[in-house]
Amino acid sequence: MLRATLKSLLARKLRLVLSGLAVVLGVMFVSGAFVLTDTLGRSFDQVFSTAYSQTDVGVAAKPKVDVDEFEGEEAAAPFPTSTVDKVAAVPGVAKATGFVSTDGARLIGDNGKAVTSFGPPQLGESWNPDDGLTELREGRGPTADNEIAINVTLADAAKVAVGDKVGVLTREPRQDFTIVGIFGYSGDRDSLGGVQQVEFTPPVAQKLMLGETGVWNGITVKAASGVSHDQLRDDIAAQLGDGYEVKTGQQLADEASGALKQGLSFFNNILLGFAGVALFVGIFLILNTFSIIVAQRTRELALMRAVGASRKQMIGSVLIEAVVIGLVASVLGLGAGVGVGALLAFVFGSVGGGLEMASVGVPAAAVISSFAVGLLVTVVAAVLPALRASRIPPVAAMQDVATPDRPLTKITVAGAVVGAAGGALLALGLSGNAGDSTLWTILGGVLVTFIGVALLTPLVSKPVVSLLGRIFSWSVPGKLGRLNSGRNPRRTAITAAALMVGIALVTGVTVLLGSAKSSITKLAEDTINADLVISGAQSGPRPPSFDPVVLDEVKAIPGVRAATGTYGDLGEVNGDREYLTAVSDIAALKDVYRAEPSAGDIGTIGPDQMLVDSKTASDMGLSVGSRLTVQLSRGDAQTYTLSGIYKESDLYGGFVLPVQATKDFAIPQPTQGYIQLDPGTTASQVEPQVDRLLADSPEVSVADRSKFIEQQTSGFDQILTMIQILLALAILIAVLGIVNTLALSVLERTRELGLLRAIGLRRAQTMRMITVEAVVISMFGAILGIVVGTGLGAAVVRALKDDGITELVLPWSQMGLAVVLAAIVGVVAAILPAIRAARLNVLGAIAHE
Amino acid sequence: MTTTVARDTHVAARATDVWKVYGTGEAQVVALRGVSAEFERGRFTAIMGPSGSGKSTLMHCLAGLDSVTRGQVAIGDTVVTGLGDSGLTKLRRDKVGFIFQQFNLLPTLSAMENILLPLSIAGRKPDKAWFDTVIATVGLGDRLGHRPSQLSGGQQQRVACARALVARPEVVFADEPTGNLDSRSGAEVLAFLRRSVREYGQTIVMVTHDPVAASYADRVVFLADGSIVSELFEPTPESVLDTMKRLDVLSGEAGV
């Protein structure tokens, strides 16, 4: 039995390869994600174990505000030199060295632009040649206050050399330094994990990176020989008390590496998401292939039954085929996944500035999940066809059992029920009542809705396919093609449904992102009242900022009525983490953002006063005169009195502090500037002058309002493009499905095709007939996908109405494009099956059984 | 599930007052009207009749491929009527062999593998001596390793015959076994079937409409309009043809 199964499998290997390809792609994503995470994870481990190899115990002050990975980065908390002395005095400490090392030192490269690192931090540090790690490659360390040394990675990125004079942006505006040295690390490494480093003399590092001299933000402790690191850590912690975090070097390395690995898991989830889409579409494909094969082998399967095979054996034989395909696809997918994972890790490492890669590893999880996913998907898809195979009566071996068109009632009812369940799940998720599992509820809802629609497709296919087909009915081959595509509604439907999934996802995402973009643009246009805006594109955890002096200089330009800068910081208000803002000129808030007062005075603000919006006020039960405790990134907590409440705005944050507070912001410089002009002055007159003033703040640029809004929303387009590229994969798999269905149909109709050719259908006509069938199926899938995707997208947009997505934008041109593309896809998919059909030997085909 | 009926060692298959009705109402077709027949062990019986006489239906019912509307069918001491799928599967494995008009060999398996298919499905080892006997009798010899597509029609049908015989079933049902063969190949197959009855005591029930084929049988049962209308022992092509003509006239008269 097994032998018969395997032999028949081997005989049909080509068509099974096609259906298995979807599984290969899905498994590739799954294993690729695991390989990537594993390889990068071990690379991080290596980097940090080196970085902390000379640290027995590390000391840092507790951050003033805890910040999550995705919110930004923690601001360094400075502490005085006396703390270093205190640690040095702890018994068992051989040596305690205070250091400055914190993100935010941006070197201005030879092209006048600030160098970006695309991820790894840009550290500004106090030079310590005795740390046991750095190796000077060229020159010497900084000894004067206008000297710096930089690492090789930064020197390469900035294209600078020893002796060059360069500008560096820190907490302070641009300052110029001379590069006196370039250093690397042992083992010929240019940096540890792509980090860019600027080394100052200690007082300069303190002033520029921490804001005042005589403070440090870390201590490296060397233990005396024979002293246990854990013991020493506990002793130091006991000595320093609460405000400090004391950890062993091992702990620090693990934590640093762990934080990065967590960041990776986000990337991982994206890959797994696309694996899910590929596999979901793959299920349709495999289900269809197996169904067709079972239908074609009716006589053969009936014979097996007649010579004594039991139902279980029939189910078993189909499932074994599925298992074999699943296994082969898993192996291929795993192999491809290892390649993809290694490639992505390599790209990731080189984009991140040269992370030294650990050897590519294939973790057990990659292997296990590859096989589990590959087998599960194929077997699940084969269950229905297997059951169908087991129901073939043995008598079918003797006669052509007419298989009447099974009524679509059952499948339609099932589709309606499943579709309704999916809709309900979606509604629950979108209503926001699903709590923590909102995302999963929505995803589940989408998935179940797809299955429901797929089940309803056979019913819909009849009228739609016949309508679509009329476009081609002007010729006899076209008419035959149309009739063929309507011949087996289930087969047509499931082939089209695979395409539907991909197109529906693309359409849904496009509707959602397009609506979001348009809503934000409209809001910004309605709200921002500025002629020119100064801002920059954020490429890392730190938003770009500029020298506040520029604002005063801009004000001096003739024709400029007002210039206002905004600052932002993540702090704590009454113990809750909140995003706080400040405006250089509070009166302009009213003007630039068209903020309207709701209570108190919002036109002025004293050094210990603050403003909130009406929503925050009502949420927190505040009124004018309420007192709030605010802890910013730096400094001590301070109490502010609420002096004014402005009407809620979606564009502007809830808390406004006086500009004096910005000295305790993690970034004490404005991140955006708004310029209003006198009537009669045009933006193009002022823009070049502002541009010149920003020469020393290369992270930002000036643009008129519409260009600014476009810049701010360009992120949506990038995300959209990325998602579309990845979803194109789902569509590719669906195309394979169409090819597969057609190829099998051609085979099935060999005799019929032979007859048509015998009575005079030309080769070209035969090919046209097959092509029409393919085009009708693919256009049907595209239209279905557009309808379903628009429905899903519109539902989500509607649900987000209260969150500011007020516009519903339907991507008409994209929809049109999708239908046209689908038609092209149909033509392409038909090429091989059509050629095959046209090449049939007429005599042989007629005699074919 | 298996009920033992009064064991009559002479009877390999038996139909008792079998009715078969397809469809309901207007579309109702009565294919068999109370057919009772016994098929003796070690005999070669042919079932004949014009198209639509119910001969194929009778065979399908006897073999347990189709259910009966009323009446009872038994193979050996097993009552087929009322058996569930697993019972029928067991019946097909142990007691019944089939030969089809279209040969129905699996194109992916070699002749040898096709012959052994029923045994391998049932998970049984072939009886070496009997296997050799069967192979020798069908006379395929060196062609056993060939695929069906590399064999002639007659050779393919002989492989199918060997497949039906190799499990030593109680009854072999043959459905127009020579329908797709030229007369010479057909004669070879029929001679082979007759030998297996004469020399090895195999029971064969064959449906055919060819008087020459029927003449190879020990007995011919004639069906018309779902009933047995005549019977002939030790037939010759001429006597079969005569009977058929007579029946034609009868049914022609009945039709008027």
Side-chain angles (χ1 to χ4, degrees):
Chain A
M1 186 75 190
L2 183 65
R3 189 155 172 189
T5 303
L6 293 182
K7 283 223 173 181
S8 81
L9 186 65
L10 215 60
R12 284 170 289 114
K13 48 189 176 295
L14 190 70
R15 51 185 107 151
L16 293 169
V17 162
L18 275 177
S19 56
L21 212 53
V23 182
V24 171
L25 289 172
V27 169
M28 180 185 85
F29 273 104
V30 172
S31 59
F34 278 103
V35 170
L36 173 68
T37 320
D38 180 71
T39 308
L40 283 183
R42 280 181 299 112
S43 307
F44 292 148
D45 286 343
Q46 277 179 12
V47 165
F48 289 108
S49 66
T50 310
Y52 288 102
S53 61
Q54 300 303 313
T55 305
D56 291 342
V57 175
V59 179
K62 277 198 179 133
K64 300 285 186 182
V65 177
D66 286 322
V67 176
D68 280 350
E69 177 88 15
F70 288 104
E71 289 172 330
E73 49 182 354
E74 267 167 8
F79 52 80
T81 306
S82 58
T83 306
V84 183
D85 299 339
K86 229 193 256 179
V87 171
V90 172
V93 172
K95 193 176 172 200
T97 316
F99 64 84
V100 176
S101 176
T102 180
D103 192 11
R106 293 96 75 206
L107 193 94
I108 297 169
D110 72 336
N111 58 358
K113 294 210 169 101
V115 177
T116 50
S117 69
F118 300 103
Q122 300 178 293
L123 299 177
E125 303 185 315
S126 53
W127 174 244
N128 175 16
D130 308 321
D131 65 359
L133 290 171
T134 51
E135 282 177 359
L136 264 176
R137 295 274 164 80
E138 212 181 315
R140 56 178 174 83
T143 50
D145 286 353
N146 64 350
E147 292 175 350
I148 53 169
I150 59 177
N151 69 5
V152 181
T153 297
L154 178 54
D156 288 348
K159 298 195 182 73
V160 291
V162 170
D164 288 354
K165 213 170 148 118
V166 293
V168 180
L169 303 170
T170 55
R171 282 181 64 81
E172 305 272 326
R174 172 180 179 148
Q175 289 191 17
D176 289 342
F177 296 87
T178 306
I179 300 170
V180 294
I182 292 176
F183 64 94
Y185 289 87
S186 60
D188 205 31
R189 280 179 283 193
D190 295 342
S191 67
L192 294 177
V195 171
Q196 299 179 355
Q197 289 163 292
V198 180
E199 306 288 323
F200 304 98
T201 57
V204 175
Q206 290 164 348
K207 179 79 184 82
L208 295 184
M209 302 312 300
L210 301 176
E212 52 188 316
T213 50
V215 294
W216 309 93
N217 73 322
I219 304 172
T220 307
V221 177
K222 200 90 190 132
S225 63
V227 178
S228 122
H229 297 175
D230 289 345
Q231 185 57 47
L232 188 58
R233 173 195 60 198
D234 296 345
D235 289 350
I236 295 171
Q239 187 66 36
L240 291 177
D242 247 5
Y244 290 87
E245 285 171 345
V246 185
K247 285 163 187 161
T248 62
Q250 185 62 50
Q251 274 179 311
L252 288 167
D254 291 348
E255 276 175 23
S257 178
L260 280 180
K261 283 182 198 164
Q262 203 161 21
L264 264 186
S265 70
F266 173 72
F267 195 64
N268 221 14
N269 286 342
I270 292 181
L271 283 180
L272 291 178
F274 285 104
V277 172
L279 291 169
F280 183 63
V281 175
I283 287 182
F284 284 84
L285 194 52
I286 296 167
L287 175 68
N288 214 18
T289 309
F290 272 95
S291 299
I292 298 174
I293 289 176
V294 165
Q296 286 177 354
R297 287 169 66 209
T298 301
R299 197 175 264 268
E300 208 176 301
L301 294 169
L303 171 81
M304 302 280 253
R305 288 283 279 149
V307 297
S310 67
R311 274 197 183 155
K312 268 193 207 144
Q313 281 178 311
M314 301 311 294
I315 295 176
S317 90
V318 175
L319 289 186
I320 283 171
E321 285 194 21
V323 166
V324 172
I325 294 169
L327 277 177
V328 172
S330 300
V331 170
L332 294 177
L334 179 62
V338 172
V340 166
L343 184 74
L344 283 176
F346 173 75
V347 169
F348 198 96
S350 43
V351 165
L355 172 64
E356 195 179 316
M357 276 300 136
S359 61
V360 172
V362 183
V367 179
I368 294 168
S369 56
S370 292
F371 282 97
V373 161
L375 283 179
L376 193 74
V377 163
T378 0
V379 171
V380 162
V383 164
L384 273 180
L387 286 177
R388 207 166 299 154
S390 78
R391 293 204 192 105
I392 294 173
V395 72
M398 313 209 177
Q399 57 195 25
D400 280 326
V401 180
T403 35
D405 265 355
R406 280 171 299 159
L408 298 174
T409 331
K410 249 202 220 159
I411 197 170
T412 304
V413 170
V417 171
V418 174
L425 214 55
L426 201 62
L428 174 72
L430 292 176
S431 69
N433 292 333
D436 289 342
S437 46
T438 300
L439 183 66
W440 289 113
T441 315
I442 293 178
L443 288 180
V446 170
L447 194 77
V448 176
T449 307
F450 277 146
I451 296 175
V453 172
L455 289 173
L456 286 174
T457 310
L459 187 75
V460 187
S461 82
K462 274 190 172 167
V464 177
V465 162
S466 104
L467 204 68
L468 270 177
R470 295 207 185 276
I471 310 171
F472 306 100
S473 285
W474 45 268
S475 70
V476 173
K479 193 171 170 189
L480 286 172
R482 165 173 80 89
L483 292 175
N484 281 339
S485 54
R487 198 146 135 178
N488 192 331
R490 283 159 202 265
R491 191 182 293 179
T492 302
I494 205 161
T495 311
L499 188 62
M500 179 259 306
V501 173
I503 299 222
L505 286 174
V506 171
T507 310
V509 170
T510 310
V511 168
L512 179 61
L513 288 182
S515 300
K517 182 180 169 182
S518 154
S519 303
I520 289 173
T521 304
K522 186 165 180 295
L523 180 71
E525 275 169 357
D526 290 351
T527 321
I528 298 174
N529 181 28
D531 300 295
L532 290 167
V533 182
I534 300 171
S535 70
Q538 186 168 347
S539 67
R542 298 174 63 89
S545 56
F546 61 95
D547 186 352
V549 173
V550 171
L551 291 169
D552 296 329
E553 292 168 347
V554 168
K555 273 186 212 158
I557 299 172
V560 171
R561 183 156 60 86
T564 318
T566 58
Y567 302 72
D569 194 31
L570 202 58
E572 281 174 2
V573 178
N574 288 351
D576 290 330
R577 205 152 50 202
E578 300 284 359
Y579 187 70
L580 299 123
T581 55
V583 186
S584 66
D585 176 5
I586 194 69
L589 177 71
K590 226 163 125 181
D591 207 15
V592 171
Y593 280 119
R594 298 194 173 107
E596 287 177 44
S598 155
D601 179 14
I602 66 164
T604 58
I605 188 168
D608 51 1
Q609 292 180 326
M610 67 185 293
L611 311 177
V612 301
D613 72 355
S614 51
K615 183 169 187 297
T616 310
S618 67
D619 285 354
M620 294 178 67
L622 302 174
S623 57
V624 172
S626 297
R627 292 169 72 78
L628 293 142
T629 306
V630 175
Q631 171 65 61
L632 295 167
S633 286
R634 300 157 44 86
D636 296 324
Q638 206 185 326
T639 307
Y640 289 89
T641 307
L642 191 60
S643 64
I645 299 172
Y646 55 91
K647 282 197 182 131
E648 183 193 347
S649 156
D650 285 315
L651 201 67
Y652 203 58
F655 299 91
V656 181
L657 292 175
V659 72
Q660 290 87 342
T662 58
K663 69 173 175 21
D664 285 335
F665 279 20
I667 298 169
Q669 294 184 338
T671 51
Q672 267 160 10
Y674 298 94
I675 301 166
Q676 291 174 309
L677 305 177
D678 286 330
T681 312
T682 61
S684 56
Q685 288 173 321
V686 180
E687 201 179 319
Q689 302 181 57
V690 178
D691 205 35
R692 272 197 294 280
L693 292 174
L694 288 171
D696 285 343
S697 300
E699 288 182 301
V700 297
S701 59
V702 64
D704 64 26
R705 193 183 69 161
S706 58
K707 217 151 89 197
F708 165 69
I709 293 171
E710 210 178 285
Q711 280 169 9
Q712 294 297 299
T713 52
S714 66
F716 285 106
D717 296 334
Q718 285 167 18
I719 297 172
L720 191 62
T721 311
M722 219 177 70
I723 293 178
Q724 282 173 340
I725 289 173
L726 282 163
L727 284 177
L729 184 85
I731 294 171
L732 180 79
I733 294 175
V735 173
L736 289 180
I738 297 175
V739 177
N740 210 15
T741 305
L742 281 181
L744 291 170
S745 294
V746 165
L747 204 68
E748 195 175 65
R749 295 184 207 137
T750 301
R751 200 167 182 168
E752 193 178 308
L753 286 165
L755 173 81
L756 286 170
R757 297 270 287 120
I759 60 171
L761 199 68
R762 283 196 309 272
R763 282 219 161 119
Q765 286 176 314
T766 312
M767 291 176 75
R768 203 188 309 159
M769 179 177 84
I770 306 282
T771 306
V772 165
E773 183 175 352
V775 170
V776 166
I777 293 178
S778 60
M779 282 176 71
F780 174 48
I783 289 171
L784 209 60
I786 287 169
V787 171
V788 173
T790 306
L792 289 175
V796 175
V797 167
R798 227 192 123 81
L800 291 177
K801 200 167 184 177
D802 291 340
D803 296 320
I805 303 188
T806 48
E807 308 280 300
L808 176 63
V809 179
L810 298 184
W812 293 112
S813 58
Q814 289 226 359
M815 292 180 188
L817 191 70
V819 176
V820 173
L821 269 179
I824 296 172
V825 156
V827 172
V828 173
I831 292 176
L832 282 177
I835 290 177
R836 192 166 174 173
R839 281 216 188 125
L840 277 180
N841 175 312
V842 178
L843 267 181
I846 291 175
H848 183 90
E849 276 192 40
Chain B
M1 287 296 284
T2 310
T3 324
T4 308
V5 288
R7 188 168 168 82
D8 184 341
T9 48
H10 296 295
V11 178
R14 181 205 308 268
T16 316
D17 190 26
V18 167
W19 288 72
K20 180 67 190 178
V21 182
Y22 293 107
T24 51
E26 291 277 309
Q28 189 169 339
V29 177
V30 182
L32 296 177
R33 308 171 180 270
V35 174
S36 293
E38 289 185 344
F39 299 91
E40 283 166 284
R41 199 174 293 273
R43 298 288 289 272
F44 189 173
T45 311
I47 303 176
M48 290 204 77
S51 295
S53 62
K55 58 184 192 299
S56 285
T57 307
L58 176 61
M59 193 190 81
H60 292 164
C61 288
L62 281 171
L65 292 174
D66 210 344
S67 61
V68 300
T69 311
R70 220 166 77 204
Q72 199 188 55
V73 170
I75 302 277
D77 54 4
T78 308
V79 175
V80 177
T81 316
L83 280 183
D85 185 71
S86 56
L88 286 171
T89 301
K90 193 164 159 26
L91 180 85
R92 288 196 285 269
R93 279 185 187 179
D94 301 339
K95 313 218 158 172
V96 178
F98 291 104
I99 300 168
F100 307 95
Q101 182 176 2
Q102 308 280 2
F103 322 143
N104 280 8
L105 300 178
L106 291 192
T108 51
L109 300 183
S110 69
M112 172 90 135
E113 286 165 333
N114 266 295
I115 293 171
L116 289 174
L117 187 65
L119 291 176
S120 64
I121 283 177
R124 290 202 304 240
K125 287 254 171 295
D127 172 344
K128 184 79 176 83
W130 175 242
F131 177 74
D132 290 341
T133 310
V134 170
I135 295 299
T137 317
V138 276
L140 282 165
D142 55 336
R143 307 204 71 106
L144 282 176
H146 287 57
R147 294 282 176 90
S149 56
Q150 297 163 313
L151 300 174
S152 72
Q155 286 168 330
Q156 287 190 49
Q157 192 63 305
R158 279 186 278 152
V159 170
C161 292
R163 180 177 67 192
L165 292 173
V166 76
R168 298 196 125 161
E170 195 101 10
V171 193
V172 168
F173 291 101
D175 185 10
E176 306 264 13
T178 55
N180 264 14
L181 297 176
D182 61 72
S183 54
R184 216 183 110 214
S185 306
E188 273 172 24
V189 166
L190 289 164
F192 166 72
L193 289 179
R194 188 163 62 185
R195 259 183 78 197
S196 66
V197 172
R198 299 271 154 85
E199 293 178 20
Y200 310 117
Q202 182 64 55
T203 311
I204 295 178
V205 176
M206 170 176 76
V207 166
T208 185
H209 63 262
D210 174 10
V212 179
S215 70
Y216 280 79
D218 300 319
R219 167 193 175 207
V220 183
V221 173
F222 293 89
L223 248 75
D225 290 329
S227 304
I228 293 179
V229 289
S230 185
E231 209 174 357
L232 206 61
F233 290 90
E234 303 303 328
T236 62
E238 292 74 28
S239 63
V240 173
L241 203 59
D242 284 347
T243 314
M244 283 173 77
K245 278 183 185 153
R246 193 162 46 82
L247 290 174
D248 249 1
V249 172
L250 276 177
S251 67
E253 279 170 3
V256 171

